[in-house]
Amino acid sequence: MPTMNMLQAINNALDIAMAEDEKVICFGEDVGVFGGVFRATSHLQEKYGKARCFNTPLVEQGIIGFANGLAAQGSVPVAEIQFADYIFPAFDQIVNETAKFRYRSGDLFNVGGLTIRTPYGGGISGGLYHSQSPEAYFTHTPGLKVVVPRNPYQAKGLLLAAIRDPDPVLFLEPKRLYRAAVGDVPEEDYQLPIGEAEIVKEGSDITLVGWGAQMEVIGKAAELAEEQGISCEVIDLRSLLPWDEDTVAESVLKTGRLIVSHEAPLTGGFAGEIAATIQERCFLYLESPISRVTGLDTPFPLVLEKEYLPDHLKIFEAIRESVNF
Amino acid sequence: MTQYVHQPLFLTGDEFTIDTFSLLDPEGELYEGASEPALERDHARRLYQAMLATRILDERMLAAQRQGRLSFYMQCTGEEAAVVGATAALNDADMIMAQYREQGALMYRGFSIDEFMNQLFGNELDYGKGRQMPIHYGSRKLHYMTISSPLATQIPQATGYAYGQKLAGDGHCTLTFFGEGAASEGDFHAALNMASVHQVPVIFFCRNNGYAISTPSTEQFAADGIAPRAFGYHMHVIRVDGNDALAVFEATTQARKIAVEKNQPVLIEAMSYRLAAHSSSDDPSGYRSKEEEEIWRAKDPLLRLQKWLVKKGWWSEEEEAAQQESLRREVLDTLKRAEKRPPPPLDSLISDVYADVTPALQRQLDQLKRHIRRYPDAYPKGAKSLDLDVDTATDSQGDA
Ligand SMILES: Cc1ncc(C[n+]2csc(CCOP(=O)(O)OP(=O)(O)O)c2C)c(N)n1
């Protein structure tokens, strides 16, 4: 099995999807000859021509509006937004149009073919405007699917699933891991299910939940805890909308404890949604309060990025507090 | 009055092409028929010196970035005449809302090398408190709005700011810089429309440098550049040679007159070239040729203005050499000082989110402080401003 980094896995998935179905079309800022600023679309224009892989003018609302129309026509657009921080000019097109196309037309029209790919997250010295994790804005939007891979294997399988999914998918790529995450990736076509969490590690004392880049940090915290004899069950949600309540609830029924961690600010973050749901479903089984380890309720800083980010030590402390509650 | 025609008549705009206003030829001679702008000796020297200082700062800081002393840098190289020439035509108290590649404007207005360095290194003296990437400068004193990375957002803001200036009746205007790439954003169109409808003293200054990262302008727009868009908004427009500081100065001087005397917006399109990479993270060899770059290198805006100044006896080779030498030294000395300065204090993580720190933010900071006291080595920057011996109970909130 070849090893790939996350960018190669994404590129490989796009290549497979474009080869299989000529309706698949990739576009976005700098996506053409250059292959995107992170090179996720490298060589696709060379292989599939300018009509199917191209640079757009610099206008995110245009990119997604165009993609909506194209998807409604029956094509399968994979639109890249260069950084998740710059998705907001397209917010209206995504939350009012992409997400509501099928519902408002009584299923006369839909944009199910649409996939929006965008790099998100911090830890890359990007400061205020190259580090945000905007998933929560979108998980509040019925009609969208929101997917976040944590490694190359997932990136390929989930992206292929997203492109073929009958609903529009927002695919958030942890850019800190683009080159850092390397692993075995099957050469052939495969899909991973959207809407199903993955139990990364079984354990009995506490459940740790996260997604994307945060999984690496959670994994490290779990190792620290294991050294202290605390057994952690680690769950990667993989998709946030819809999210796999059952897997998390079953785990918490077993462990009695839950920590959710994400980089985005605490207030209104997706961890709050998970905490509320699990509290409803597992109330009598909880042995300590569900806790959230997240970014601060501030914009993303630069110099004090390390202090801001929820890291393995902060999660480890939260584990200790939970277990000693 | 409506004119009727009785055969279908489609227009494409090819009927109009917009000429480029240029005063100096590449040898620094005035073109035939061109007249020198009203630019006095000291003013002309200030303009040139700011261009030169910008070039040197950029060279040195790119080198520093390559040595790993700086995470990121963006150069103005090739566009100094456009940026500094426009700024020199303004009143120093006019507002500037830039995109990010316009350090020349700050240089002209007297931002010190120290001030540049403090932002570049995000140290405790950085006005932006180490929150933004290098080159996102801001100066209230110099009427230069702090840079925001999301492109084009400053353009409608400039319209609004200038409308306020009109109401205040203080005789000032706002100039906003943006690239030909950013001019594709919806914000650009909204800004021009509102400015012309509301008769606002704003100058929209497009730096058409041929590329938006890797995207050539031929893939950015189909028409004859950005300038013709002004017609649709019923707005004054001029296209100018962006490598000719004198022409940019003259065009902007007259645009400013229109803006402040008539309260009308003006669009300026400066034709130039981004000689450097998009940023220190970019490698242009993947999308354009060395030959193309060389053609533009031969049109260096610094050289052109310098030749003109020397001919007038307003500048000399000796001055050039001395200035270069002292600037290089100043940049290096200042750099060494700035990179050693401590980071902003930990408390700056939660300040300026709101006018006053909210109780929730204070709780989050207190919790963070307790955590860092437990693991000071893991957070060397944060630990620096903490008294590690302080009992955690002195924080405003007990254990969470
Ligand atoms: C809304 C938004 N989308 C994308 C980006 C990423 N980005 C930063 S600079 C840039 C290219 C800008 O090109 P142009 O406006 O022509 O200015 P130049 O860099 O050539 O000076 C892009 C796409 C951004 N900063 N903001």
Side-chain angles (χ1 to χ4, degrees):
Chain A
M1 213 186 288
T3 47
M4 295 186 196
N5 67 29
M6 193 180 284
L7 281 168
Q8 291 163 332
I10 289 165
N11 186 253
N12 183 237
L14 293 172
D15 194 358
I16 288 174
M18 290 182 89
E20 176 210 56
D21 181 356
E22 63 181 29
K23 289 202 183 120
V24 176
I25 300 174
C26 294
F27 51 88
E29 292 157 15
D30 301 291
V31 158
V33 177
F34 197 46
V37 293
F38 293 102
R39 306 305 167 88
T41 54
S42 281
H43 305 298
L44 296 178
Q45 186 174 80
E46 233 169 278
K47 267 180 125 159
Y48 300 103
K50 260 191 152 172
R52 291 185 58 203
C53 178
F54 51 89
N55 288 336
T56 63
L58 211 172
V59 53
E60 293 77 12
Q61 74 179 136
I63 294 170
I64 303 302
F66 178 93
N68 279 334
L70 189 61
Q73 176 273 341
S75 295
V76 183
V78 184
E80 176 177 299
I81 297 293
Q82 200 161 78
F83 285 88
D85 309 69
Y86 306 133
I87 203 165
F88 297 111
F91 199 62
D92 184 41
Q93 281 291 339
I94 298 171
V95 303
N96 272 332
E97 305 304 319
T98 307
K100 299 178 174 72
F101 233 94
R102 193 189 297 278
Y103 188 80
R104 73 155 180 259
S105 69
D107 205 19
L108 287 181
F109 298 98
N110 74 78
V111 295
L114 173 58
T115 303
I116 304 169
R117 296 180 33 246
T118 189
Y120 85 95
I124 54 138
S125 296
L128 222 50
Y129 295 117
H130 294 84
S131 306
Q132 295 175 70
S133 297
E135 67 270 9
Y137 294 106
F138 297 98
T139 54
H140 195 59
T141 309
L144 276 183
K145 289 183 176 171
V146 178
V147 174
V148 196
R150 78 163 190 283
N151 61 27
Y153 172 75
Q154 279 192 359
K156 177 172 173 180
L158 287 170
L159 182 54
L160 281 167
I163 291 169
R164 292 156 182 167
D165 196 274
D167 291 309
V169 178
L170 176 63
F171 195 77
L172 293 163
E173 301 170 359
K175 62 179 167 292
R176 184 170 64 76
L177 304 184
Y178 265 161
R179 293 195 169 81
V182 178
D184 289 344
V185 176
E187 217 152 350
E188 66 273 11
D189 191 339
Y190 65 92
Q191 287 180 207
L192 295 172
I194 290 176
E196 275 180 36
E198 180 190 341
I199 299 172
V200 178
K201 201 185 81 60
E202 298 203 14
S204 52
D205 296 330
I206 187 164
T207 304
L208 310 178
V209 171
W211 49 88
Q214 203 53 17
M215 292 313 299
E216 193 190 32
V217 177
I218 291 172
K220 266 193 181 172
E223 275 173 34
L224 285 181
E226 305 270 333
E227 284 166 19
Q228 313 262 315
I230 304 166
S231 160
C232 302
E233 180 138 306
V234 177
I235 298 178
D236 176 1
L237 228 41
R238 296 198 294 199
S239 82
L240 305 187
L241 192 64
W243 69 281
D244 185 351
E245 293 179 26
D246 290 349
T247 297
V248 179
E250 272 160 36
S251 172
V252 175
L253 291 180
K254 178 174 74 178
T255 63
R257 296 185 168 87
L258 174 63
I259 290 175
V260 188
S261 179
H262 57 62
E263 288 181 21
L266 178 80
T267 302
F270 197 64
E273 183 59 37
I274 298 170
T277 304
I278 296 305
Q279 178 271 140
E280 274 168 19
R281 291 185 54 165
C282 309
F283 183 67
L284 292 176
Y285 293 79
L286 286 171
E287 299 192 37
S288 66
I290 297 171
S291 88
R292 295 171 286 171
V293 185
T294 69
L296 303 181
D297 279 344
T298 74
F300 205 99
L302 175 73
V303 173
L304 298 174
E305 177 176 44
K306 203 168 164 30
E307 286 67 16
Y308 176 89
L309 279 171
D311 63 0
H312 63 292
L313 293 173
K314 292 178 186 172
I315 298 170
F316 172 62
E317 285 301 322
I319 295 172
R320 283 217 311 210
E321 267 179 40
S322 179
V323 171
N324 298 326
F325 181 77
Chain B
M1 245 225 310
T2 311
Q3 294 262 3
Y4 290 98
V5 292
H6 307 295
Q7 296 295 325
L9 175 64
F10 293 94
L11 303 174
T12 63
D14 290 347
E15 296 76 11
F16 323 95
T17 50
I18 300 187
D19 296 333
T20 303
F21 172 57
S22 183
L23 293 175
L24 282 185
D25 74 12
E27 291 314 307
E29 297 281 357
L30 277 187
Y31 282 110
E32 220 182 287
S35 30
E36 239 170 55
L39 185 63
E40 281 163 15
R41 179 180 179 276
D42 287 352
H43 199 170
R45 283 169 56 94
R46 178 177 168 198
L47 200 176
Y48 178 70
Q49 283 172 307
M51 286 169 61
L52 181 63
T54 305
R55 177 69 61 93
I56 287 171
L57 177 75
D58 283 355
E59 281 169 6
R60 287 285 129 181
M61 296 323 289
L62 185 75
Q65 196 281 333
R66 294 288 181 247
Q67 295 166 350
R69 295 162 84 173
L70 199 64
S71 60
F72 180 81
Y73 197 74
M74 278 177 133
Q75 296 167 271
C76 180
T77 306
E79 299 180 70
E80 294 93 342
V83 173
V84 184
T87 307
L90 301 177
N91 181 303
D92 278 351
D94 288 339
M95 190 61 179
I96 291 179
M97 295 199 181
Q99 177 158 311
Y100 50 56
R101 204 184 288 292
E102 295 93 348
Q103 46 268 40
L106 272 173
M107 193 67 92
Y108 177 85
R109 287 200 170 168
F111 207 57
S112 71
I113 301 292
D114 257 315
E115 289 175 300
F116 278 108
M117 288 305 160
N118 294 333
Q119 198 289 328
L120 290 172
F121 286 98
N123 64 28
E124 61 177 353
L125 298 179
D126 168 16
Y127 301 137
K129 304 180 190 171
R131 290 169 183 153
Q132 296 217 69
M133 297 207 301
I135 71 115
H136 281 35
Y137 310 107
S139 171
R140 187 153 188 109
K141 192 178 73 195
L142 300 179
H143 308 280
Y144 189 92
M145 182 66 73
T146 299
I147 302 302
S148 170
S149 300
L151 287 166
T153 47
Q154 81 281 13
I155 313 175
Q157 292 170 14
T159 299
Y161 200 97
Y163 185 72
Q165 289 171 316
K166 170 175 144 178
L167 294 188
D170 56 11
H172 288 132
C173 66
T174 295
L175 181 143
T176 177
F177 287 110
F178 50 90
E180 86 289 347
S184 289
E185 294 278 7
D187 277 354
F188 165 86
H189 300 277
L192 267 65
N193 196 27
M194 288 189 76
S196 59
V197 167
H198 291 288
Q199 298 282 289
V200 173
V202 56
I203 301 170
F204 300 105
F205 194 103
C206 178
R207 299 180 289 95
N208 187 338
N209 62 14
Y211 285 88
I213 311 188
S214 74
T215 304
S217 57
T218 49
E219 293 177 31
Q220 195 64 245
F221 47 74
D224 170 36
I226 304 303
R229 294 180 191 175
F231 298 152
Y233 295 111
H234 196 64
M235 187 181 293
H236 290 93
V237 60
I238 187 167
R239 172 175 286 154
V240 59
D241 180 345
N243 285 27
D244 175 352
L246 285 195
V248 173
F249 174 81
E250 179 60 15
T252 313
T253 302
Q254 296 200 20
R256 184 177 190 279
K257 253 174 108 73
I258 296 170
V260 298
E261 288 174 12
K262 296 189 180 165
N263 278 319
Q264 286 175 4
V266 184
L267 174 63
I268 300 176
E269 182 180 25
M271 308 307 290
S272 185
Y273 191 80
R274 198 196 72 209
L275 267 183
H278 167 70
S279 74
S280 55
S281 318
D282 173 46
D283 173 12
S285 70
Y287 55 84
R288 69 186 192 191
S289 69
K290 277 265 169 292
E291 295 78 64
E292 181 187 301
E293 290 178 32
E294 287 314 318
I295 292 171
W296 283 90
R297 220 168 282 283
K299 302 187 199 179
D300 193 318
L302 262 74
L303 220 53
R304 196 182 303 188
L305 185 64
Q306 192 205 99
K307 284 180 178 164
W308 177 76
L309 285 168
V310 170
K311 277 179 199 145
K312 289 189 75 83
W314 289 357
W315 191 251
S316 67
E317 274 178 32
E318 297 76 60
E319 273 184 294
E320 176 80 19
Q323 189 91 26
Q324 287 200 21
E325 168 64 20
S326 86
L327 275 165
R328 290 210 173 91
R329 191 159 350 101
E330 185 183 359
V331 168
L332 273 185
D333 291 349
T334 323
L335 188 157
K336 278 185 204 144
R337 239 179 302 141
E339 68 184 345
K340 282 199 202 99
R341 272 195 194 286
L346 194 62
D347 291 39
S348 72
L349 263 178
I350 60 160
S351 59
D352 310 322
V353 181
Y354 300 100
D356 299 312
V357 169
T358 62
L361 280 175
Q362 190 60 52
R363 271 197 303 279
Q364 292 180 15
L365 181 70
D366 292 342
Q367 191 184 353
L368 177 62
K369 284 183 177 172
R370 281 194 298 280
H371 181 74
I372 293 178
R373 287 196 175 101
R374 219 166 280 152
Y375 299 97
D377 298 339
Y379 310 91
K381 286 182 182 150
K384 220 166 225 165
S385 60
L386 277 188
D387 186 345
L388 296 174
D389 297 328
V390 165
D391 181 3
T392 52
T394 59
D395 290 334
S396 62
Q397 163 92 14
D399 227 15

